[in-house]
Amino acid sequence: MAGWVRWSVTVVVAVVVFGVCLWGARSVSFGWMPEAEADRWVVATAFATVMATVVAGAVGWWAGRAQPTTTGPVERTVSQRATASGRGRATQVGGNQNTPTPGGAGGRPTSVEQEAEVADDASVTQVGGDQRTGSGDDERRPRS
């Protein structure tokens, strides 16, 4: 149930409890109630306020509890820019590098923008998602 619906239920329940308690305290004749009409209204209103506050606290606790979200995966955008020259190297990874992604989620972005400028004997590696490299991969070997 949506949060605004829960809080609306809380307000409605508090108002209903206040009205019922106020009506009940005014309708039923108790021996301990004051004789004057104005004093009877004050006691009835105080009783109704206390009861509505107690109920609103309990229902408000329910309304304030966090509900698990059932939304889809979060969109990830990766924007990579690199400049390398001479014998330089640049490696940019938008996801995980040589680390397994828990549950397989979060490795692949939904949008990737890559730009690179390379001069001389330089190299640029840009990966928008996860990168798994082994010991024989070119980027792991020293350059001669």
Side-chain angles (χ1 to χ4, degrees), residues 10-34:
T10 302
V11 170
V12 169
V13 166
V15 169
V16 167
V17 166
F18 179 82
V20 168
C21 289
L22 184 63
W23 172 81
R26 289 293 301 133
S27 318
V28 178
S29 166
F30 296 108
W32 51 267
M33 288 288 278

Side-chain angles (χ1 to χ4, degrees), residues 81-93 97 115-126 131 133-144:
R81 288 178 178 42
T83 303
S85 63
R87 295 177 52 92
R89 286 187 188 180
T91 302
Q92 298 175 317
V93 180
Q97 187 171 22
E115 183 180 318
E117 292 181 30
V118 180
D120 302 326
D121 193 28
S123 69
V124 173
T125 304
Q126 294 176 317
Q131 181 183 33
T133 56
S135 59
D137 290 339
D138 185 47
E139 290 299 317
R140 291 280 180 115
R141 283 189 255 142
R143 298 184 98 166
S144 51

Side-chain angles (χ1 to χ4, degrees), residues 93-117:
V93 180
N96 294 311
Q97 187 171 22
N98 295 324
T99 305
T101 304
R108 291 197 175 129
T110 54
S111 173
V112 176
E113 178 186 326
Q114 295 177 326
E115 183 180 318
E117 292 181 30

Side-chain angles (χ1 to χ4, degrees), residues 8-9 21 24 27 36 41-42 49 51 71 88 99 111 115 137:
S8 297
V9 168
C21 289
S27 318
W41 272 107
V42 169
T49 301
M51 295 308 294
T71 60
T99 305
S111 173
E115 183 180 318
D137 290 339

Side-chain angles (χ1 to χ4, degrees), residues 1-3 66-74:
M1 189 179 303
Q67 293 297 310
T69 58
T70 57
T71 60
V74 176

